[in-house]
Amino acid sequence: MKPLVVDGANVAWVHGKSLFPSFEGIVIAINAALEQGYTVLLMLNNRYHVPWSSKIRVVDDWDGVYVIPSLSDGNSDDRVMIDYATNKRCK
C-alpha cells in the first residue's frame, strides 16, 4: 500500500469550516484514503493528542492507519510533516 500523510489538524479545521476542529473530518479523510488503497499516517501536533486521545486510539486500531506520535510543539508542525512525508516517500 502507498503511504499517505494526513495533516489531522488542517483536515479537522477545514471540515469544521474554521469554526471548530472536527474529528469527523479526519475520519472521512482516512476512509477516503483507505478506499483508494493508501496506508494512512495520521499526524497531529500536541494540541490535539490530549483532547482527542480516545478518538485517536479508535482510528489507530484500524487496519492501514498509523497515528504518528506528536513530533512537534505545534509551532513547526507543517515543516515536520513535510520532512517526514518526504523521508518516507509518502504522498
Coordinates of all heavy atoms in Angstrom, one line a residue:
M1 N 0.8 -1.2 0.0 CA 0.0 0.0 0.0 C 0.9 1.2 0.0 O 1.9 1.3 0.6 CB -0.9 0.0 1.2 CG -1.9 -1.1 1.2 SD -2.9 -1.1 2.7 CE -4.4 -0.3 2.1
K2 N 0.4 2.3 -0.6 CA 1.1 3.5 -0.7 C 0.9 4.3 0.6 O -0.3 4.5 1.0 CB 0.6 4.3 -1.9 CG 0.7 3.6 -3.2 CD -0.1 4.3 -4.3 CE -1.6 4.1 -4.0 NZ -2.5 4.4 -5.1
P3 N 1.9 4.9 1.2 CA 1.7 5.7 2.4 C 1.2 7.1 2.0 O 1.7 7.7 1.1 CB 3.1 5.7 3.0 CG 4.1 5.5 1.9 CD 3.3 4.7 0.9
L4 N 0.3 7.6 2.9 CA -0.2 9.0 2.7 C -0.2 9.7 4.1 O -0.8 9.1 5.0 CB -1.6 8.9 2.1 CG -2.4 10.2 2.0 CD1 -1.9 11.0 0.8 CD2 -3.9 10.0 1.9
V5 N 0.4 10.8 4.2 CA 0.4 11.6 5.4 C -0.9 12.4 5.4 O -1.1 13.2 4.5 CB 1.7 12.4 5.6 CG1 1.5 13.4 6.7 CG2 2.9 11.6 5.8
V6 N -1.6 12.4 6.5 CA -2.8 13.2 6.7 C -2.5 14.2 7.8 O -2.2 13.8 8.9 CB -4.0 12.4 7.0 CG1 -5.2 13.2 7.4 CG2 -4.4 11.4 5.9
D7 N -2.6 15.5 7.5 CA -2.4 16.5 8.5 C -3.7 16.7 9.2 O -4.6 17.4 8.8 CB -2.0 17.8 7.8 CG -1.8 19.0 8.8 OD1 -2.3 18.9 9.9 OD2 -1.1 19.9 8.3
G8 N -3.8 16.0 10.3 CA -5.1 15.9 11.1 C -5.7 17.2 11.5 O -6.9 17.5 11.4
A9 N -4.8 18.2 11.9 CA -5.3 19.5 12.4 C -5.9 20.2 11.2 O -7.0 20.8 11.4 CB -4.2 20.2 13.0
N10 N -5.2 20.3 10.1 CA -5.7 21.1 9.0 C -7.0 20.4 8.4 O -8.0 21.2 8.1 CB -4.7 21.1 7.8 CG -3.6 22.1 8.2 OD1 -3.7 22.9 9.1 ND2 -2.6 22.1 7.4
V11 N -7.1 19.1 8.4 CA -8.3 18.5 7.9 C -9.5 18.8 8.9 O -10.6 19.1 8.4 CB -8.1 16.9 7.8 CG1 -9.4 16.2 7.6 CG2 -7.1 16.6 6.6
A12 N -9.2 18.7 10.2 CA -10.3 18.9 11.2 C -10.8 20.4 11.1 O -12.0 20.6 11.1 CB -9.7 18.6 12.6
W13 N -9.9 21.3 10.9 CA -10.4 22.7 10.9 C -11.1 23.0 9.6 O -12.1 23.7 9.6 CB -9.2 23.7 11.0 CG -8.8 23.9 12.5 CD1 -7.8 23.3 13.1 CD2 -9.5 24.6 13.5 NE1 -7.8 23.6 14.5 CE2 -8.9 24.5 14.7 CE3 -10.7 25.4 13.4 CZ2 -9.3 25.1 15.9 CZ3 -11.1 26.0 14.6 CH2 -10.4 25.8 15.8
V14 N -10.7 22.4 8.5 CA -11.4 22.7 7.2 C -12.8 22.0 7.3 O -13.8 22.7 6.9 CB -10.6 22.1 6.0 CG1 -11.5 22.0 4.8 CG2 -9.4 22.9 5.8
H15 N -12.9 20.8 7.8 CA -14.2 20.2 7.9 C -15.1 21.0 8.9 O -16.3 21.0 8.7 CB -14.0 18.7 8.4 CG -15.3 18.0 8.3 ND1 -16.1 17.8 9.5 CD2 -16.0 17.4 7.3 CE1 -17.2 17.1 9.1 NE2 -17.1 16.9 7.8
G16 N -14.5 21.6 9.9 CA -15.3 22.4 10.8 C -15.5 23.8 10.4 O -16.0 24.7 11.1
K17 N -15.2 24.0 9.1 CA -15.4 25.3 8.4 C -14.7 26.5 9.2 O -15.2 27.6 9.3 CB -16.9 25.7 8.3 CG -17.6 24.6 7.4 CD -19.0 25.0 7.1 CE -19.8 24.1 6.2 NZ -19.3 22.9 5.7
S18 N -13.5 26.2 9.8 CA -12.7 27.1 10.5 C -13.4 27.7 11.8 O -12.9 28.6 12.4 CB -12.2 28.2 9.6 OG -11.4 27.7 8.6
L19 N -14.5 27.1 12.2 CA -15.2 27.5 13.4 C -14.7 26.6 14.6 O -14.7 27.1 15.7 CB -16.7 27.4 13.2 CG -17.3 28.3 12.1 CD1 -18.7 28.0 11.9 CD2 -17.1 29.8 12.4
F20 N -14.5 25.4 14.3 CA -14.0 24.4 15.3 C -13.4 23.2 14.6 O -13.7 22.9 13.5 CB -15.2 23.9 16.1 CG -16.3 23.2 15.3 CD1 -16.2 21.8 15.2 CD2 -17.3 23.9 14.7 CE1 -17.2 21.2 14.4 CE2 -18.2 23.3 13.9 CZ -18.2 21.9 13.8
P21 N -12.5 22.5 15.3 CA -11.9 21.4 14.7 C -12.8 20.2 14.8 O -13.4 19.9 15.8 CB -10.6 21.1 15.5 CG -10.9 21.7 16.9 CD -11.9 22.9 16.6
S22 N -13.0 19.5 13.7 CA -14.0 18.4 13.6 C -13.2 17.1 13.4 O -12.7 16.8 12.3 CB -14.9 18.6 12.4 OG -15.7 17.4 12.2
F23 N -13.2 16.2 14.4 CA -12.6 14.9 14.2 C -13.3 14.1 13.1 O -12.7 13.2 12.5 CB -12.5 14.1 15.5 CG -11.6 13.0 15.5 CD1 -10.2 13.3 15.8 CD2 -11.9 11.7 15.2 CE1 -9.3 12.2 15.8 CE2 -11.0 10.7 15.2 CZ -9.7 10.9 15.5
E24 N -14.6 14.3 12.9 CA -15.3 13.6 11.9 C -14.7 13.8 10.5 O -14.6 12.9 9.7 CB -16.8 14.1 11.9 CG -17.6 13.4 10.8 CD -19.0 14.0 10.7 OE1 -19.4 14.8 11.5 OE2 -19.7 13.5 9.8
G25 N -14.1 15.0 10.3 CA -13.4 15.3 9.0 C -12.2 14.4 8.8 O -11.9 14.0 7.7
I26 N -11.5 14.1 9.9 CA -10.4 13.2 9.9 C -10.8 11.8 9.5 O -10.2 11.2 8.7 CB -9.6 13.2 11.2 CG1 -9.0 14.6 11.5 CG2 -8.5 12.1 11.3 CD1 -8.4 14.8 12.9
V27 N -11.9 11.4 10.1 CA -12.4 10.0 9.8 C -12.8 9.9 8.3 O -12.5 8.9 7.7 CB -13.6 9.7 10.7 CG1 -14.3 8.4 10.3 CG2 -13.1 9.6 12.2
I28 N -13.5 11.0 7.8 CA -13.9 11.0 6.4 C -12.6 10.9 5.5 O -12.6 10.1 4.5 CB -14.7 12.2 6.1 CG1 -16.1 12.2 6.8 CG2 -14.9 12.4 4.6 CD1 -16.8 13.5 6.8
A29 N -11.6 11.7 5.8 CA -10.4 11.7 5.0 C -9.7 10.3 5.1 O -9.2 9.8 4.1 CB -9.4 12.8 5.5
I30 N -9.6 9.7 6.3 CA -9.0 8.4 6.4 C -9.7 7.4 5.6 O -9.1 6.6 4.9 CB -8.9 8.0 7.9 CG1 -7.9 8.9 8.7 CG2 -8.6 6.5 8.1 CD1 -7.9 8.6 10.2
N31 N -11.0 7.4 5.7 CA -11.8 6.4 5.0 C -11.6 6.5 3.4 O -11.5 5.5 2.7 CB -13.3 6.5 5.3 CG -13.6 5.8 6.6 OD1 -13.0 4.8 7.0 ND2 -14.6 6.4 7.4
A32 N -11.6 7.8 3.0 CA -11.4 8.0 1.5 C -10.0 7.5 1.1 O -9.9 6.9 0.0 CB -11.6 9.5 1.2
A33 N -9.0 7.8 1.9 CA -7.7 7.3 1.6 C -7.5 5.8 1.6 O -6.9 5.2 0.7 CB -6.6 7.9 2.5
L34 N -8.2 5.2 2.6 CA -8.1 3.7 2.6 C -8.8 3.1 1.4 O -8.3 2.1 0.8 CB -8.8 3.2 3.9 CG -8.0 3.5 5.2 CD1 -8.9 3.1 6.4 CD2 -6.7 2.8 5.2
E35 N -9.9 3.7 1.0 CA -10.7 3.2 -0.1 C -9.9 3.3 -1.4 O -10.0 2.5 -2.4 CB -12.0 3.9 -0.3 CG -13.0 3.6 0.7 CD -14.3 4.4 0.6 OE1 -14.4 5.2 -0.3 OE2 -15.1 4.3 1.5
Q36 N -8.9 4.2 -1.5 CA -8.1 4.4 -2.6 C -6.8 3.6 -2.5 O -5.9 3.7 -3.4 CB -7.8 5.9 -2.8 CG -9.0 6.7 -3.2 CD -8.7 8.2 -3.3 OE1 -7.7 8.6 -3.8 NE2 -9.6 9.0 -2.8
G37 N -6.7 2.8 -1.5 CA -5.5 1.9 -1.4 C -4.3 2.5 -0.7 O -3.2 1.9 -0.8
Y38 N -4.5 3.5 0.1 CA -3.4 4.1 0.8 C -3.3 3.5 2.2 O -4.3 3.1 2.8 CB -3.5 5.6 1.0 CG -3.3 6.4 -0.3 CD1 -4.4 6.8 -1.1 CD2 -2.0 6.7 -0.7 CE1 -4.2 7.5 -2.3 CE2 -1.8 7.4 -1.9 CZ -2.9 7.8 -2.7 OH -2.7 8.5 -3.8
T39 N -2.1 3.5 2.7 CA -1.8 3.4 4.2 C -1.8 4.8 4.7 O -1.1 5.6 4.2 CB -0.5 2.7 4.4 OG1 -0.5 1.4 3.8 CG2 -0.2 2.6 5.9
V40 N -2.5 5.0 5.8 CA -2.7 6.4 6.3 C -1.8 6.6 7.5 O -1.8 5.8 8.4 CB -4.1 6.7 6.7 CG1 -4.3 8.0 7.3 CG2 -5.1 6.5 5.5
L41 N -1.0 7.6 7.4 CA -0.1 8.1 8.5 C -0.7 9.4 9.0 O -0.6 10.4 8.4 CB 1.3 8.3 8.1 CG 2.0 7.1 7.4 CD1 3.3 7.5 6.8 CD2 2.1 5.9 8.3
L42 N -1.5 9.3 10.1 CA -2.2 10.5 10.7 C -1.2 11.2 11.6 O -0.6 10.6 12.5 CB -3.4 10.0 11.5 CG -4.2 11.1 12.2 CD1 -4.7 12.2 11.2 CD2 -5.3 10.5 13.0
M43 N -1.0 12.5 11.3 CA -0.2 13.3 12.2 C -1.0 14.4 12.8 O -1.7 15.1 12.1 CB 1.0 13.9 11.3 CG 1.8 12.8 10.7 SD 3.3 13.4 9.8 CE 4.4 13.5 11.2
L44 N -0.7 14.6 14.1 CA -1.4 15.7 14.8 C -0.3 16.3 15.7 O 0.5 15.6 16.3 CB -2.5 15.2 15.7 CG -3.7 14.6 15.0 CD1 -4.5 13.7 15.9 CD2 -4.6 15.7 14.5
N45 N -0.4 17.6 16.0 CA 0.5 18.2 16.9 C 0.0 18.0 18.4 O -1.1 17.5 18.6 CB 0.8 19.7 16.6 CG -0.4 20.6 16.7 OD1 -1.2 20.4 17.5 ND2 -0.4 21.6 15.8
N46 N 0.8 18.4 19.3 CA 0.5 18.1 20.7 C -0.9 18.7 21.2 O -1.6 18.1 22.0 CB 1.5 18.8 21.6 CG 2.8 18.0 21.7 OD1 2.8 16.8 21.4 ND2 3.9 18.6 22.0
R47 N -1.3 19.8 20.6 CA -2.5 20.4 20.9 C -3.8 19.5 20.8 O -4.7 19.7 21.5 CB -2.7 21.7 20.1 CG -3.8 22.5 20.3 CD -3.8 23.8 19.4 NE -3.1 23.5 18.2 CZ -2.4 24.5 17.5 NH1 -2.4 25.7 18.0 NH2 -1.8 24.2 16.4
Y48 N -3.7 18.5 19.9 CA -4.9 17.7 19.7 C -4.8 16.3 20.3 O -5.8 15.6 20.4 CB -5.1 17.5 18.2 CG -5.3 18.9 17.5 CD1 -4.3 19.5 16.9 CD2 -6.6 19.5 17.7 CE1 -4.6 20.8 16.3 CE2 -6.8 20.7 17.2 CZ -5.8 21.4 16.5 OH -6.0 22.6 15.9
H49 N -3.6 15.9 20.7 CA -3.4 14.5 21.3 C -4.2 14.3 22.6 O -4.8 13.2 22.8 CB -1.9 14.1 21.4 CG -1.3 13.6 20.2 ND1 -1.4 12.2 20.0 CD2 -0.7 14.1 19.1 CE1 -0.8 12.0 18.8 NE2 -0.4 13.1 18.3
V50 N -4.2 15.3 23.4 CA -4.9 15.1 24.7 C -6.4 15.1 24.6 O -7.1 14.2 25.0 CB -4.4 16.1 25.8 CG1 -5.2 16.1 27.0 CG2 -2.9 15.9 26.1
P51 N -7.0 16.2 24.0 CA -8.4 16.2 23.9 C -9.1 15.1 23.0 O -10.2 14.7 23.3 CB -8.8 17.6 23.4 CG -7.5 18.1 22.7 CD -6.4 17.4 23.4
W52 N -8.3 14.6 22.1 CA -8.8 13.6 21.2 C -8.3 12.2 21.4 O -8.3 11.3 20.6 CB -8.6 14.0 19.7 CG -9.4 15.1 19.2 CD1 -10.5 15.6 19.8 CD2 -9.2 15.8 18.0 NE1 -11.0 16.7 19.0 CE2 -10.2 16.8 17.9 CE3 -8.3 15.8 17.0 CZ2 -10.3 17.7 16.9 CZ3 -8.4 16.7 16.0 CH2 -9.4 17.6 15.9
S53 N -7.7 12.0 22.6 CA -6.9 10.7 22.8 C -7.8 9.5 22.6 O -7.4 8.5 22.0 CB -6.3 10.7 24.2 OG -7.3 10.8 25.2
S54 N -9.1 9.5 23.1 CA -9.9 8.3 22.9 C -10.3 8.1 21.4 O -10.3 7.0 21.0 CB -11.2 8.4 23.8 OG -12.0 9.5 23.4
K55 N -10.5 9.2 20.7 CA -10.8 9.1 19.3 C -9.6 8.6 18.5 O -9.7 7.8 17.5 CB -11.4 10.4 18.7 CG -12.7 10.8 19.4 CD -13.1 12.2 18.9 CE -14.4 12.6 19.5 NZ -14.8 13.9 19.1
I56 N -8.5 9.1 18.9 CA -7.2 8.8 18.2 C -7.0 7.3 18.4 O -6.6 6.6 17.4 CB -6.0 9.6 18.7 CG1 -6.2 11.1 18.2 CG2 -4.7 9.0 18.2 CD1 -5.2 12.0 18.9
R57 N -7.2 6.8 19.6 CA -7.0 5.3 19.8 C -7.9 4.5 18.9 O -7.5 3.4 18.5 CB -7.2 5.0 21.3 CG -6.0 5.3 22.2 CD -6.1 4.7 23.6 NE -7.3 5.2 24.3 CZ -7.2 6.3 25.0 NH1 -6.1 7.0 25.1 NH2 -8.3 6.7 25.7
V58 N -9.1 4.9 18.7 CA -10.0 4.1 17.9 C -9.5 4.0 16.4 O -9.4 2.9 15.9 CB -11.4 4.8 17.9 CG1 -12.3 4.1 16.8 CG2 -12.0 4.6 19.2
V59 N -9.1 5.1 15.8 CA -8.6 5.1 14.4 C -7.3 4.4 14.3 O -6.9 3.8 13.3 CB -8.6 6.4 13.7 CG1 -10.0 7.0 13.6 CG2 -7.7 7.4 14.3
D60 N -6.5 4.5 15.4 CA -5.1 3.8 15.4 C -5.3 2.3 15.3 O -4.4 1.6 14.9 CB -4.3 4.3 16.6 CG -2.9 3.9 16.5 OD1 -2.4 3.9 15.4 OD2 -2.2 3.8 17.5
D61 N -6.4 1.8 15.8 CA -6.7 0.3 15.7 C -7.2 -0.2 14.4 O -7.3 -1.4 14.1 CB -7.7 -0.1 16.8 CG -7.1 0.0 18.2 OD1 -5.9 -0.1 18.3 OD2 -7.9 0.1 19.2
W62 N -7.5 0.7 13.5 CA -8.0 0.3 12.1 C -6.8 -0.2 11.3 O -5.7 0.3 11.4 CB -8.6 1.5 11.4 CG -9.8 2.1 12.0 CD1 -10.5 1.6 13.1 CD2 -10.6 3.2 11.5 NE1 -11.6 2.4 13.3 CE2 -11.7 3.4 12.4 CE3 -10.4 4.1 10.5 CZ2 -12.6 4.4 12.2 CZ3 -11.3 5.1 10.3 CH2 -12.4 5.2 11.2
D63 N -7.1 -1.2 10.5 CA -6.1 -1.7 9.6 C -5.7 -0.6 8.6 O -6.6 0.0 8.0 CB -6.6 -2.9 8.8 CG -6.7 -4.2 9.6 OD1 -6.0 -4.3 10.6 OD2 -7.5 -5.1 9.2
G64 N -4.4 -0.4 8.4 CA -3.9 0.5 7.4 C -3.8 1.9 7.9 O -3.5 2.8 7.2
V65 N -4.1 2.2 9.2 CA -4.0 3.5 9.8 C -2.9 3.5 10.9 O -3.0 2.6 11.8 CB -5.3 4.0 10.4 CG1 -5.2 5.4 11.0 CG2 -6.4 4.0 9.3
Y66 N -2.0 4.4 10.9 CA -1.0 4.6 11.9 C -1.0 6.0 12.4 O -0.9 6.9 11.6 CB 0.4 4.2 11.4 CG 0.4 2.8 10.8 CD1 0.1 2.5 9.5 CD2 0.6 1.7 11.7 CE1 0.1 1.2 9.0 CE2 0.6 0.4 11.2 CZ 0.3 0.2 9.9 OH 0.3 -1.1 9.4
V67 N -1.1 6.2 13.7 CA -1.0 7.5 14.2 C 0.4 7.8 14.6 O 1.0 7.1 15.4 CB -2.0 7.7 15.4 CG1 -1.8 9.1 16.1 CG2 -3.4 7.4 15.0
I68 N 1.0 8.8 14.0 CA 2.4 9.1 14.3 C 2.4 10.0 15.6 O 1.7 10.9 15.7 CB 3.0 10.0 13.1 CG1 2.8 9.2 11.8 CG2 4.4 10.3 13.4 CD1 3.4 7.9 11.7
P69 N 3.3 9.6 16.5 CA 3.3 10.4 17.8 C 3.7 11.8 17.4 O 4.4 12.1 16.5 CB 4.5 9.7 18.5 CG 4.6 8.3 18.0 CD 4.2 8.4 16.5
S70 N 3.2 12.7 18.3 CA 3.4 14.1 18.0 C 4.9 14.4 17.9 O 5.7 14.0 18.7 CB 2.8 14.9 19.2 OG 2.9 16.3 18.9
L71 N 5.2 15.1 16.8 CA 6.6 15.3 16.5 C 7.1 16.8 16.7 O 8.2 17.1 16.5 CB 6.9 14.9 15.1 CG 6.6 13.5 14.7 CD1 6.8 13.3 13.2 CD2 7.6 12.5 15.5
S72 N 6.1 17.6 17.1 CA 6.5 19.0 17.3 C 5.6 19.6 18.4 O 4.6 19.1 18.8 CB 6.4 19.8 16.0 OG 5.0 20.0 15.7
D73 N 5.9 20.9 18.7 CA 5.1 21.6 19.7 C 4.0 22.4 19.1 O 3.3 23.1 19.7 CB 6.0 22.5 20.5 CG 6.7 23.5 19.6 OD1 6.4 23.6 18.3 OD2 7.6 24.3 20.1
G74 N 3.8 22.3 17.8 CA 2.8 23.0 17.1 C 3.3 24.2 16.3 O 2.6 24.7 15.4
N75 N 4.4 24.7 16.7 CA 5.0 25.9 16.0 C 5.5 25.6 14.6 O 5.6 26.4 13.8 CB 6.1 26.6 16.9 CG 5.5 27.1 18.1 OD1 4.3 27.6 18.2 ND2 6.3 27.1 19.2
S76 N 6.0 24.3 14.5 CA 6.6 24.0 13.2 C 6.1 22.7 12.7 O 6.7 21.9 12.0 CB 8.1 23.9 13.4 OG 8.4 22.9 14.4
D77 N 4.8 22.3 13.0 CA 4.3 21.0 12.7 C 4.2 20.8 11.2 O 4.4 19.7 10.7 CB 2.9 20.7 13.4 CG 1.9 21.7 13.1 OD1 2.2 22.9 12.9 OD2 0.7 21.4 13.1
D78 N 3.9 21.8 10.4 CA 3.8 21.7 9.0 C 5.2 21.3 8.4 O 5.2 20.4 7.6 CB 3.3 22.9 8.3 CG 1.8 23.2 8.5 OD1 1.1 22.2 8.9 OD2 1.4 24.3 8.4
R79 N 6.2 21.9 8.8 CA 7.6 21.6 8.4 C 7.9 20.1 8.8 O 8.5 19.4 8.0 CB 8.6 22.6 8.9 CG 10.0 22.2 8.7 CD 10.6 22.2 7.3 NE 9.9 22.7 6.2 CZ 10.0 22.3 5.0 NH1 10.8 21.3 4.7 NH2 9.3 22.8 4.0
V80 N 7.6 19.7 10.0 CA 7.9 18.4 10.4 C 7.1 17.4 9.6 O 7.7 16.4 9.1 CB 7.5 18.2 11.9 CG1 7.6 16.8 12.3 CG2 8.4 19.1 12.8
M81 N 5.9 17.6 9.2 CA 5.1 16.7 8.4 C 5.6 16.6 7.0 O 5.7 15.5 6.4 CB 3.6 17.2 8.4 CG 2.9 16.9 9.6 SD 1.2 17.3 9.5 CE 1.0 18.2 11.1
I82 N 6.0 17.7 6.4 CA 6.6 17.7 5.1 C 7.9 16.9 5.1 O 8.1 16.1 4.2 CB 6.8 19.2 4.6 CG1 5.4 19.8 4.3 CG2 7.7 19.2 3.3 CD1 5.5 21.3 4.1
D83 N 8.8 17.2 6.1 CA 10.0 16.4 6.1 C 9.8 14.9 6.3 O 10.4 14.1 5.7 CB 10.9 17.0 7.3 CG 11.5 18.3 7.0 OD1 11.4 18.8 5.8 OD2 11.9 19.0 8.0
Y84 N 8.8 14.6 7.2 CA 8.5 13.2 7.4 C 8.0 12.5 6.2 O 8.5 11.5 5.8 CB 7.5 13.1 8.5 CG 7.2 11.7 9.0 CD1 7.9 11.1 10.0 CD2 6.2 10.9 8.3 CE1 7.6 9.8 10.4 CE2 5.9 9.6 8.7 CZ 6.6 9.1 9.7 OH 6.4 7.8 10.1
A85 N 7.1 13.2 5.5 CA 6.5 12.6 4.3 C 7.5 12.5 3.2 O 7.6 11.5 2.5 CB 5.4 13.5 3.8
T86 N 8.4 13.4 3.1 CA 9.5 13.4 2.1 C 10.4 12.2 2.4 O 10.8 11.4 1.5 CB 10.3 14.7 2.0 OG1 9.4 15.7 1.7 CG2 11.4 14.6 1.0
N87 N 10.8 12.1 3.6 CA 11.8 11.0 4.0 C 11.1 9.6 3.9 O 11.9 8.6 3.6 CB 12.2 11.2 5.5 CG 13.2 12.4 5.6 OD1 13.8 12.8 4.6 ND2 13.2 13.0 6.8
K88 N 9.8 9.5 4.1 CA 9.2 8.2 4.0 C 8.6 8.0 2.6 O 7.9 7.0 2.4 CB 8.0 8.1 5.0 CG 8.5 8.2 6.4 CD 9.3 7.0 6.8 CE 9.7 7.1 8.3 NZ 10.6 6.0 8.7
R89 N 8.8 8.9 1.7 CA 8.3 8.8 0.3 C 6.8 8.7 0.2 O 6.3 7.8 -0.4 CB 9.0 7.7 -0.5 CG 10.5 7.9 -0.6 CD 11.1 6.8 -1.3 NE 12.5 6.7 -1.0 CZ 13.5 7.2 -1.7 NH1 13.3 7.7 -2.8 NH2 14.8 7.1 -1.4
C90 N 6.1 9.5 1.0 CA 4.7 9.5 1.1 C 4.1 10.4 0.0 O 4.8 11.2 -0.6 CB 4.2 10.0 2.5 SG 4.8 8.9 3.8
K91 N 2.8 10.3 -0.1 CA 2.0 11.2 -1.0 C 1.6 12.4 -0.2 O 1.5 12.3 1.0 CB 0.8 10.5 -1.5 CG 1.1 9.4 -2.5 CD 1.4 10.0 -3.8 CE 1.6 8.9 -4.8 NZ 1.9 9.4 -6.1

